[in-house]
Amino acid sequence: EAGVAQSPRYKIIEKRQSVAFWCNPISGHATLYWYQQILGQGPKLLIQFQNNGVVDDSQLPKDRFSAERLKGVDSTLKIQPAKLEDSAVYLCASSLGTGHRSSYEQYFGPGTRLTVT
Amino acid sequence: AQSVTQPDIHITVSEGASLELRCNYSYGATPYLFWYVQSPGQGLQLLLKYFSGDTLVQGIKGFEAEFKRSQSSFNLRKPSVHWSDAAEYFCAVGAGNTDKLIFGTGTRLQVFP
């Protein structure tokens, strides 16, 4: 079974530029998550999708971050314009999303390391 | 609000020694608890999970963890550490009914030969 795919793996941009990250979850997983992991910290949830609807985006800086999950499969996270403090690893994860406790079991992609200069 | 505390930022052990990584949680109901491992440049891999029942849970790679409700703890253990266990370890608690995980800040494990 293929895991969660993310691209690109690395990205370097200048501040005020825009960037987009792509994620393809495990086949059949209804729930998709985007996390931000700043160096030395644990992952912080940015946004959670259930199929193509948003469940939680309370931690998403909506003035510069946006995300979509068209057709309830893959997803794109965009930052525009980027700031220096956005330098982090952006992790995508997916889970079954059945409402059963096993839905808490999340599977992570390798992440995209973003450096903003 | 739910939270997870990992008191040890960095731990160093010798290969073959035993290991215990500490995790304390704050949650009003019975928690769902997880340990993840992150190797350099990699995503997070699930080591083990606790939902209910037996408070000692076994995971992959020879790891185990014990849920202690009285201490609000879910410490990770391994009897004999291998050099390949060097990584960052994250404890997480399942929060509410939204399939959401709250992560601790992580413990970096260094293994000396």
Side-chain angles (χ1 to χ4, degrees), chain B residues 13-19 61-63 77-83 85 111:
Chain B
V13 299
S14 298
E15 191 170 19
S18 62
L19 172 70
K61 304 185 180 186
F63 285 92
R77 301 195 294 247
K78 187 170 185 178
S80 178
V81 171
H82 188 261
W83 64 266
D85 293 325
V111 180

Side-chain angles (χ1 to χ4, degrees), chain B residues 83-100:
Chain B
W83 64 266
S84 60
D85 293 325
E88 186 100 23
Y89 291 80
F90 293 95
C91 182
V93 61
N97 59 358
T98 61
D99 304 345
K100 181 177 174 179

Side-chain angles (χ1 to χ4, degrees), chain A residues 9 31 33 35 37 40-43 45 48 50 55-56 58 91 95 97-110, chain B residues 27 32 34 36 38 41-46 49 51-52 88 90 93-106 108:
Chain A
R9 292 294 311 276
T31 305
Y33 313 79
Y35 289 88
Q37 186 180 20
Q41 299 182 20
L45 180 69
Q48 176 184 350
Q50 178 79 12
V55 174
D56 185 348
S58 57
L91 295 165
S95 70
T98 60
H100 188 264
R101 63 188 187 185
S102 61
S103 295
Y104 286 92
E105 203 167 321
Q106 296 181 20
Y107 296 84
F108 285 79
Chain B
Y27 187 58
Y32 297 159
F34 305 81
Y36 282 85
Q38 185 177 33
Q42 303 297 314
L44 279 70
Q45 181 184 20
L46 180 65
K49 57 188 181 284
F51 291 123
S52 65
E88 186 100 23
F90 293 95
V93 61
N97 59 358
T98 61
D99 304 345
K100 181 177 174 179
L101 291 180
I102 306 297
F103 285 87
T105 52
R108 179 166 298 278

